[in-house]
Amino acid sequence: MIRTIGVVGAGTMGHGIAAAFTLGGFDVRLQDPSAAVLAAAKPLIREELDLLVEEAYVDAAAAAAALDRIVPVADLSEAVAPCDFVVEAAPEQLELKQSLFAELDAICRPDAVLASNTSSLPLDAITARLGPERRRRTMVTHWYNPAHLMPIVELSFFGNMPEAVYAEIEALHRAVGKQTVKVLKDVPGLVANRIQQGVAREVFSIIEQGIAAPEDVDRALKFGPAFRYATTGQLEVADFGGLDIWCVVGDNLLAVMDDSRRANAMLRAKVREGKLGLKSGEGFFTYPPDQVAAIRRQFMRKLVHQLKASAFYA
Ligand SMILES: NC(=O)c1ccc[n+]([C@@H]2O[C@H](COP(=O)([O-])OP(=O)(O)OC[C@H]3O[C@@H](n4cnc5c(N)ncnc54)[C@H](O)[C@@H]3O)[C@@H](O)[C@H]2O)c1
């Protein structure tokens, strides 16, 4: 039975994953080799939990108890040895993850399950140095940012793991309020990121061609397809509209839409110019430095509202 969870790497994803598990009632041991990152993690989580309290999504006592359940630990062995489940959210470098998994294998109990939050590395490669028994208890658990608010976690079921082990990890993520997606093949991007890149490719192309202004393109997405997608998936939408219609419209539109196999050239040009979005003050829109914190908070606040609404349609 899973009670204690180790989160290795306390950066963007790790601190959010820790917040999600502790909010679900689990004891969390959070590790990072950077003393500065580790020291900043709990204050950051406190700030994020405060917003949930402010929005009446979590009550103040539950948020305080959740914060108390997170134990930051600098030493890897000390952090993960007592854990039943360990999720790694360290940088996306194969060599680093391979060594880390070898270390985790040596430290963790044989019955512990080890997971990687990798966005793009094959599980087989990450676990290359592990023996067959441990490989039966390793997987990808892919969260979305911000991890404590985005309800999706994609879980690998690539054929290396018995169904019972998968079922236990699936139940764990569902117990903390996540919607799980069982991914059967180890393909880059798993499911959700592939869908997202398909949309992004066309959106960038529409901007590049000057078909509509950035505000209008985002409005078309938010109040058009994405508005419906939050409640009704693409396959349901296709079924509801009629597959015959989707066939005809697909033939007409796909012939003229972007089919490039690389990131958009205009996007690349913006990156060259240092226009990286919110973090640099300009991307498709501009962000005055004195407003950046408020914009980030508003982004999270909207997600809390979506979470509340999703209780109805999930
Ligand atoms: N950022 C995202 O939106 C996102 C989404 C899904 C998945 N991911 C994946 O999650 C993982 C972490 O990404 P992130 O955005 O949180 O990165 P990040 O750079 O914000 O955090 C990584 C943390 O790992 C720490 N670290 C470095 N070496 C380590 C080691 N040997 N052991 C443990 N920790 C170590 C760093 O100090 C840092 O705090 C990556 O595999 C990434 O691809 C990221």
Side-chain angles (χ1 to χ4, degrees):
M1 187 170 165
I2 295 175
R3 286 182 203 284
T4 304
I5 294 174
V7 180
V8 175
T12 306
M13 296 307 293
H15 89 275
I17 294 171
F21 279 127
T22 192
L23 275 170
F26 291 90
D27 290 326
V28 176
R29 299 173 69 80
L30 181 58
Q31 190 271 346
D32 199 292
S34 157
V37 170
L38 198 58
K42 265 185 98 161
L44 181 57
I45 294 170
R46 180 194 305 270
E47 220 176 273
E48 291 172 353
L49 296 187
D50 282 349
L51 181 69
L52 298 183
V53 173
E54 212 177 294
E55 288 293 327
Y57 188 66
V58 170
D59 73 51
L67 203 61
D68 282 347
R69 280 191 293 270
I70 300 183
V71 183
V73 187
D75 180 72
L76 184 67
S77 299
E78 200 190 317
V80 301
C83 294
D84 308 303
F85 174 70
V86 177
V87 52
E88 162 275 312
E92 188 77 340
Q93 296 157 21
L94 181 57
E95 170 57 32
L96 185 151
K97 287 195 197 281
Q98 283 176 334
S99 324
L100 195 49
F101 267 73
E103 274 187 89
L104 292 174
D105 180 36
I107 301 163
C108 295
R109 289 197 320 267
D111 66 323
V113 175
L114 310 182
S116 173
N117 186 48
T118 181
S119 314
S120 59
L121 300 170
L123 179 63
D124 254 359
I126 293 174
T127 58
R129 298 182 196 163
L130 308 186
E133 275 312 304
R134 181 64 82 183
R135 276 170 166 248
R136 286 161 58 81
R137 303 184 75 79
T138 57
M139 65 192 299
V140 174
T141 59
H142 181 249
W143 296 61
Y144 250 51
N145 184 30
H148 67 299
L149 295 177
M150 289 295 291
I152 186 179
V153 184
E154 295 173 303
L155 305 178
S156 69
F157 188 61
F158 297 158
N160 60 305
M161 163 175 271
E163 181 81 47
V165 178
Y166 177 86
E168 187 181 19
I169 302 304
E170 180 183 64
L172 166 71
H173 289 82
R174 292 191 177 170
V176 300
K178 297 300 176 185
Q179 295 286 331
T180 56
V181 174
K182 188 178 196 177
V183 184
L184 305 175
K185 290 191 177 171
D186 197 352
V187 294
L190 303 181
V191 174
N193 274 341
R194 290 169 83 102
I195 295 171
Q196 182 171 252
Q197 279 299 324
V199 172
R201 178 171 63 184
E202 190 56 29
V203 163
F204 296 146
S205 166
I206 286 170
I207 295 293
E208 194 173 35
Q209 295 176 67
I211 294 171
E215 316 55 64
D216 283 312
V217 174
D218 266 2
R219 205 166 15 248
L221 180 62
K222 287 195 285 188
F223 296 101
F227 191 85
R228 196 166 52 188
Y229 284 153
T231 61
T232 314
Q234 174 60 69
L235 302 174
E236 290 171 311
V237 166
D239 272 355
F240 295 176
L243 301 190
D244 48 338
I245 313 286
W246 276 86
C247 249
V248 172
V249 176
D251 278 344
N252 289 342
L253 293 192
L254 292 172
V256 297
M257 285 169 57
D258 193 346
D259 63 354
S260 54
R261 299 183 61 80
R262 303 209 57 209
N264 182 280
M266 169 214 50
L267 188 69
R268 207 179 296 283
K270 281 190 185 290
V271 172
R272 267 198 310 272
E273 291 163 28
K275 294 179 181 168
L276 305 181
L278 192 60
K279 63 184 170 188
S280 72
E282 187 178 345
F284 290 101
F285 305 104
T286 52
Y287 306 96
D290 60 337
Q291 290 175 26
V292 167
I295 291 168
R296 283 192 203 280
R297 209 166 163 77
Q298 183 64 1
F299 164 66
M300 296 218 186
R301 203 181 288 282
K302 287 179 188 173
L303 290 177
V304 179
H305 284 248
Q306 272 281 79
L307 271 178
K308 286 181 184 171
S310 71
F312 168 68
Y313 59 68

